[in-house]
Each structure stands twice: as C-alpha cells, then as structure tokens.
Amino acid sequence: MLKTLSGGTIGRDLTASIVVFLVAMPLCMGIAVASGVPPEKGLITGIIGGIVVGLLAGSPLQVSGPAAGLAVIVFEIVREQGMSALGPILILAGAIQVIAGLARVGGWFRAISPAVVHGMLAGIGVLIVVGQFHVLFDDKPLSSGLHNLIAMPGQIFGLTNQDAATAFMVGLITIGGMLGWEKFRPASMKLMPGALVGVVLATLTAFLFDLPVARVVVPESIIGAITPPEAGLLAQLMNPTIITTAIAIAFIASAETLLSAAAVDRMHDGVRTNYNRELSAQGVGNLLCGFAGALPMTGVIVRSSANVQAGAKTRLSTILHGIWILGFVALLPWLLREIPMAALAGVLVITGVRLVSLAHVKHLFHLYGPLPALVWAATLICVVATDLLTGVLVGIGLSLLELLPHARTLGLKVEEESRGEAHEVALRGTATFFNLPKLSAKLESLPAAGLVILNVERLRHIDHTCAEMLREWVDRRRGAGAPVELFGATGRMRQIVA
C-alpha cells in the first residue's frame, strides 16, 4: 500500500473509486432486491468486497460485490430454506474457495467452456428480466422463471390498478433515463453511470410528486443490518442440503470471478491476475459475508470495467469505493429510503437484458461451428427451465462432445525454445480444456517483450475453449506491442489468430 501511495497514482485511483462507487450503489441494492433480501444486505457485501477483498485481491483492478449472476440462486435459497440458511451456506462456500485457492486450482476455472459461461449468464439475464418485470409494478416475483414469464401479460392487462401503473411509470422513467443518458451524454461526463442517472431521475420524480410507490427500506444503522448466524451453526454446516448448495455457490462464484478477472486483464496492460490469490480473497470475502448475513460476492465485470475506464492504476480504487459505500450508508440512510423499488427493478431489467449476449453466440458460431452455439443455447434453456446448477452441468456435459472424435489422443506437449530475443512455442497433439491450465501458464510465463513464434504445425486439433484463450492471449500481446507470429497454421487455426 505504501508503494501505491508513493507511486503518483493516488489521484487517478481516487477519481476511479468515486466512479465505481456511483456505479455500485444502485447495483448493490438492486441485486439484493432481485435476490429476495433487504437492500442493505447488498450494501454490506459491497463494503466487504471493496475494503477486505480489495486488500487481498490477486486481480488489482477487479471490483468485487454482489453479482447478478448469483441473484437467482440466492432467491431460491431464501424462498426454500429461509434467510437463516444463507449465512452457513456462504461460510462453507467461502471456506471451499479459500482452500481451492491455497490448493492452486484457480487456473482450472478458466477451462470452463466460454459457451457454458455465457449461456449461464444469458439464462440468468432472462430470469432477472422476467422476475424484475413484476417488481416494476410493485409486485413480487413468483416462484420460478417460467411462472414469471407466463404471468407477464397479466401485469400489463392489470394496469387498471392505479398504484401499479404509477410504479410502472417510475420504472420506465428509470429505464428511459439510463438509456437516454448513455446515448446522449456529453463526452465530458462519459464516466457518469447511466444507472445512477436513471435512479436519481426516478427518485426525484417520486419525491416531488409524492407518488404512492413502494420505496427502499433500510435500517437506521448499518450495524443493525448485520445478522450473525443463529445458534446451531455447526449442525447447519453438516446439513447435506447446505453442503450441496454451498458447493454450487462456490463453483459458480469462482467461475464468474475468474472469468471476469481474465476479461479485466484484457482491458489494461498492468499487473496480471494471480488467479489462486484472487480465489482465496473471494473466499475470505464470502466467509465474512456469511458471518454478517449478507449476499454472496464475486468479481463483477460492470464495476471492474468502470474502474479500468476511469483510469484506476492500483487496488486502492477498489478499497476506497468500499469506504465510500460505508460512509454513505452510515451518514445518509434517509436518502436511500426515498429510492423507489421500481427504480431498482428498472436498473436490473437493463442489466438482465445485457447479460443475454447474442453477439457472443454469433462469434462462437462463426469461428467454431454449431456445437458451441448449441451448448450456449442448451445452457440458457436449462437455466431458465430448471435451475442454475443443472443448466451449467448440462452445458459442461454437452461441451464434452467436442472431445469424442479425439478421445484417444488428448495429450498435448508444449515445448519452448529461445532464439536470442525471440521465443518459439511448439504445440504438439490435441489442445483441449483439459490442457488449458498448462498451456495458459506457459504462455503467461513468456517475457513481456520480444517476438513469440507459435508453431502449430503438429497441432492436430484445438477445441473452442482453448482456441478462445489462445486468441485472447494473442490479441492482448499484440495490443501491448509485442509481435506474435504463427507457423504452420491452416484453415480455422489461422482464422482464429488472424
């Protein structure tokens, strides 16, 4: 930290922390509402994610906090097992993440097919949209995504209820304010987040006209929002249902965090992510969230990208954003109580829509053919129709089909040879997600400067998971001004890294 303060970057980190704070506030509360818990639970997670995980993180510019990707599974936990189960589940999930980081398995989470991850996020996006659509009318989401979807027309035709119509208008003001600001904002204010503008606009409208809409409820003191686990914690930790759910949360949160960290690394040319340290830091954060009775956390791409775009240079910006959230909640809780629930729902509807990335599935289809696109679609449908874990397992199972034609030749040899300032990396065999951690570690260990020659003359096959990692590595290296040449590439392999 002393190095941070003496490096001449404190001004940029301070500015970035304010931007991230403004992005995080509405999202922390909105994701809590989508999870079926009070808004302050999301704020506590944002504070822990900023201050504690920020100090320990292995990804210096990634921001941690409550994630839309876990809102659906938390909603199910609260509905089926009650709020009291959330603490023990997070304590166990956090412990699993800490152990996984210490055991150095962080790199394996990057081996999950991008089609599965983006299909999972798309399914979560659909569930958030159809659930929060009902909150736009000051109503509560139903028990499943399909039930919410079926009930959507009834909300529209039921607008004879004046209060529901008023809440819906407030939600539309939020959505219109967000989208309008993002489209027409002046260049000098490009860092002002659209979500904040939409929520402020809706809150002012509801306040000035004294509209009869449901508003956020927060306690007088943030300390009062902390609810430690109840008596009998050890017995709960031995409950098979608690254990199964904790494993699911640990797996999904870790995958989302480490894939987000990889995306953040592509946005800047600074220090790369230490995946095992990041995984353990997330585990510590989730342990603390469990003891505080808050929401689970992950590394989140929206806040992280805002951090990078705002010019952050070190982890100080992440830590400061957590301090700003703490200060705001401690000093201005009355202001939070003026925010309409429909405004937060509006923010989450847009967030959910943006999680459904059709551009990504088109990219997969164009480069790798129909199988990854099928994996994406099947994961999405199963997440919506069944549950999050089932959808992910179905996607992973389908992604194994890509290995069947090469089941007898799954080995990969990675050989490095130095030629002066140049380095040649020869790949021999079959590159699949089984080999991805080894291949990724070798590529990341190469010197930052100098020519790298990728010899793929004897590479028999590369699956789309490894190919995406390789493409991103080539793009990042070339973007930093370091040349990469390909030797022996034909057909799809040449297209991937063109």
Side-chain angles (χ1 to χ4, degrees):
M1 187 57 67
L2 289 175
K3 183 179 178 181
T4 295
L5 295 175
S6 62
T9 62
I10 188 170
R12 300 186 71 172
D13 285 331
L14 178 62
T15 303
S17 73
I18 294 170
V19 172
V20 178
F21 158 70
L22 295 175
V23 173
M25 282 294 293
L27 288 175
C28 286
M29 292 188 291
I31 290 166
V33 171
S35 303
V37 304
E40 64 268 18
K41 301 294 186 183
L43 294 169
I44 293 172
T45 300
I47 293 166
I48 294 172
I51 299 173
V52 178
V53 178
L55 283 167
L56 303 174
S59 180
L61 300 186
Q62 177 160 259
V63 180
S64 300
L70 289 174
V72 175
I73 194 168
V74 173
F75 183 85
E76 290 295 319
I77 291 169
V78 172
R79 184 173 61 86
E80 295 177 3
Q81 303 178 49
M83 281 280 294
S84 61
L86 194 54
I89 287 170
L90 291 192
I91 290 170
L92 193 54
I96 292 170
Q97 288 182 299
V98 171
I99 294 168
L102 294 175
R104 306 186 67 79
V105 300
W108 279 100
F109 282 94
R110 297 185 65 199
I112 300 172
S113 163
V116 174
V117 174
H118 285 272
M120 177 191 78
L121 293 176
I124 288 166
V126 171
L127 291 174
I128 288 174
V129 170
V130 298
Q132 292 306 298
F133 181 81
H134 297 285
V135 183
L136 285 174
F137 298 85
D138 274 352
D139 203 351
K140 291 185 177 180
L142 301 176
S143 59
S144 74
L146 291 178
H147 289 151
N148 281 319
L149 187 62
I150 293 168
M152 286 173 70
Q155 290 286 12
I156 297 290
F157 296 128
L159 278 181
T160 49
N161 180 329
Q162 186 61 43
D163 288 349
T166 302
F168 186 54
M169 179 196 71
V170 169
L172 291 181
I173 289 173
T174 307
I175 293 171
M178 282 182 67
L179 299 179
W181 177 257
E182 290 171 0
K183 186 173 181 61
F184 299 111
R185 62 186 164 194
S188 61
M189 301 188 71
K190 66 178 182 179
L191 295 178
M192 178 65 72
L196 180 69
V197 172
V199 169
V200 168
L201 193 59
T203 302
L204 286 174
T205 302
F207 177 76
L208 293 175
F209 294 95
D210 195 23
L211 298 179
V213 295
R215 288 172 168 80
V216 169
V217 178
V218 294
E220 290 292 337
S221 166
I222 190 66
I223 301 298
I226 296 174
T227 52
E230 298 174 355
L233 174 61
L234 190 59
Q236 284 183 295
L237 293 176
M238 296 295 106
N239 184 325
T241 304
I242 297 287
I243 294 171
T244 304
T245 310
I247 292 171
I249 285 206
F251 175 81
I252 293 167
S254 300
E256 188 171 344
T257 291
L258 299 181
L259 288 163
S260 171
V264 173
D265 278 353
R266 296 196 296 271
M267 297 177 187
H268 67 93
D269 55 4
V271 179
R272 303 289 96 185
T273 295
N274 180 326
Y275 289 97
N276 295 308
R277 178 173 173 175
E278 180 67 21
L279 187 55
S280 291
Q282 294 289 327
V284 172
N286 276 319
L287 270 167
L288 293 176
C289 287
F291 281 111
L295 286 178
M297 73 171 61
T298 73
V300 277
I301 192 62
V302 174
R303 276 155 272 184
S304 301
S305 60
N307 194 34
V308 175
Q309 291 164 10
K313 292 298 179 184
T314 72
R315 69 186 73 241
L316 179 62
S317 62
T318 299
I319 298 166
L320 287 175
H321 114 275
I323 293 173
W324 305 148
I325 295 176
L326 175 60
F328 190 93
V329 174
L331 300 176
L332 299 170
W334 57 269
L335 188 55
L336 297 178
R337 296 189 195 100
E338 294 297 332
I339 299 174
M341 295 289 286
L344 297 180
V347 170
L348 284 165
V349 165
I350 298 299
T351 302
V353 168
R354 289 172 175 168
L355 285 174
V356 185
S357 176
L358 296 178
H360 184 80
V361 73
K362 289 178 183 176
H363 160 81
L364 291 175
F365 182 82
H366 174 68
L367 281 184
Y368 311 112
L371 181 57
L374 174 65
V375 171
W376 180 90
T379 305
L380 187 161
I381 291 168
C382 288
V383 167
V384 173
T386 57
D387 59 73
L388 203 59
L389 186 59
T390 300
V392 170
L393 293 177
V394 167
I396 291 173
L398 287 175
S399 65
L400 292 173
L401 294 176
E402 195 171 359
L403 304 183
L404 291 181
H406 313 279
R408 294 184 179 180
T409 57
L410 290 179
L412 176 70
K413 290 186 177 180
V414 184
E415 300 172 351
E416 180 188 352
E417 182 180 348
S418 298
R419 299 181 178 178
E421 293 186 0
H423 292 262
E424 179 178 340
V425 178
L427 307 182
R428 303 166 191 251
T430 303
T432 68
F433 61 84
F434 284 124
N435 322 115
L436 188 144
K438 177 178 74 173
L439 177 57
S440 176
K442 171 58 70 176
L443 294 175
E444 297 294 348
S445 70
L446 294 172
L451 170 66
V452 171
I453 302 168
L454 275 178
N455 185 339
V456 294
E457 188 177 25
R458 298 188 183 181
L459 185 65
R460 287 190 294 268
H461 173 75
I462 183 168
D463 72 359
H464 77 275
T465 306
C466 251
E468 279 291 278
M469 182 278 294
L470 190 61
R471 183 184 64 81
E472 291 167 359
W473 178 82
V474 170
D475 287 347
R476 187 171 69 245
R477 191 171 179 91
R478 287 174 174 169
V484 178
E485 292 182 3
L486 212 60
F487 179 79
T490 58
R492 181 180 293 174
M493 188 63 194
R494 178 171 291 280
Q495 182 186 14
I496 288 168
V497 294

